[in-house]
Amino acid sequence: MNHYKSIVELHEKSGFDPPKNPLLSLMTCKELMTYSVGQDRFTGDFYMIALKKIKSGHILYGKTKYDHSNGSAVFMKPRQIIEVRNVQFAEKGFVMFFHEDYLSGHLLNVQIKKYGYFEYEINEALHISPSEEVIMWELYEKIRKEYDENSDEFSREIILSHIDSILKYSDRFYKRQFIDRSPNVSGTMVKKFMTVLNDYFKEEKHLNEGLPSVNFMANKLAVSPRYLSDVLKQETGKTALEHLHIYLIGEAKNLLLSSESNVAGIAYDLGFESPSYFSRLFKKVVGVTPGQYKKEAVN
């Protein structure tokens, strides 16, 4: 597997023409034709934004293949493993690479890290509606015009402002997707989450395997951890970690009022490795320590 430190190197190994800017590359699917990047599996020090519909071949990052024909936008962050093999596009699309150094000293260098969809798996790609696709293409064309025709002290700022707009619109479109997509993907995630969590404790896995993590829950629900948290946040206003904490504290309250065990015993019964961590979490969520909660409840 190759790691590309520069976009120029990526172009050379992939047989593409050199980019006009060593830190920025823009290509349409017509220009790409059959798309087989580098050594098929690679990482790079750059971001990727792509809007495409594929006819054959596959793209993979994370653990899941993307090989369907729906129009989608996908996002890749630096040093994320991506695999592209013999991909042919069904119709027009674009691929944009921009090196992380292109963002240096710009506000977007900080803001881009806040967009959770760069953490999503490929099967959680953004599905674009026709009207949304028009917006994406308008912004791409503005970037392309600046990329092809202008090169002055304003170019980078203008291009980054349009990239920023693409990212903001994509954030909006993902929110729409969480609401609009089928119940198998969204709308019932919190129910599925609670089912997995209830089964985990019912089967007493916490006694041998410890507390369930967000990564564990995401794996059981066949989504990426960030996607899981974002969907739950959209549905309930709370992240996956917050739901885990609420569940644990609910179980703790029940044991504090119904068990003869002390605080340390209850912590271990719930799967906590440390009673002190249990007490800190309980106080953070409830506002009082477990001992104070039990005392106040009794009185």
Side-chain angles (χ1 to χ4, degrees), residues 111-175:
Q111 292 176 328
I112 197 170
K113 297 176 177 63
K114 298 178 182 179
Y115 293 110
Y117 47 77
F118 280 100
E119 304 285 344
Y120 293 173
E121 301 284 359
I122 198 78
N123 61 311
E124 298 151 358
L126 175 59
H127 297 269
I128 302 289
S129 71
S131 61
E132 292 167 351
E133 189 170 342
V134 169
I135 293 172
M136 296 289 269
W137 271 107
E138 286 177 347
L139 290 167
Y140 172 82
E141 293 297 346
K142 288 179 179 180
I143 295 171
R144 186 70 187 244
K145 183 176 178 63
E146 195 68 30
Y147 181 78
D148 288 338
E149 299 179 9
N150 299 304
S151 182
D152 56 31
E153 67 270 28
F154 301 104
S155 298
R156 175 174 172 269
E157 182 64 37
I158 291 171
I159 288 172
L160 287 177
S161 70
H162 293 319
I163 291 176
D164 183 46
S165 293
I166 286 177
L167 298 177
K168 283 185 170 68
Y169 273 111
S170 297
D171 204 27
R172 170 188 281 180
F173 298 159
Y174 258 117
K175 296 295 191 300

Side-chain angles (χ1 to χ4, degrees), residues 196-206 209-210 212 216:
V196 171
L197 199 50
N198 284 325
D199 289 346
Y200 188 88
F201 279 86
K202 183 178 180 180
E203 296 167 12
E204 298 187 342
K205 291 182 178 179
H206 60 290
E209 301 176 24
F216 169 84

Side-chain angles (χ1 to χ4, degrees), residues 33-37 40 52-61 64-70 82-90 122:
M33 301 301 288
T34 299
Y35 187 50
S36 188
V37 174
D40 292 333
K52 51 190 179 285
K53 210 182 262 193
I54 71 171
K55 183 167 60 178
S56 62
H58 77 253
I59 301 171
L60 182 150
Y61 65 78
T64 310
K65 286 184 180 180
Y66 169 84
D67 59 4
H68 52 76
S69 60
N70 291 329
I82 185 168
E83 179 177 311
V84 182
R85 292 193 179 179
N86 302 319
V87 169
Q88 289 186 321
F89 294 97
I122 198 78

Side-chain angles (χ1 to χ4, degrees), residues 21 33 71 77 97 105 107-108 118 134 183 188 223-224 233 236 253 262 277 285:
N21 185 320
M33 301 301 288
K77 65 180 182 178
F97 294 105
L107 184 60
L108 189 56
F118 280 100
V134 169
T188 60
V223 295
S224 65
K233 185 81 172 178
T236 68
K253 286 180 177 179
N262 58 23
Y277 171 59
V285 175

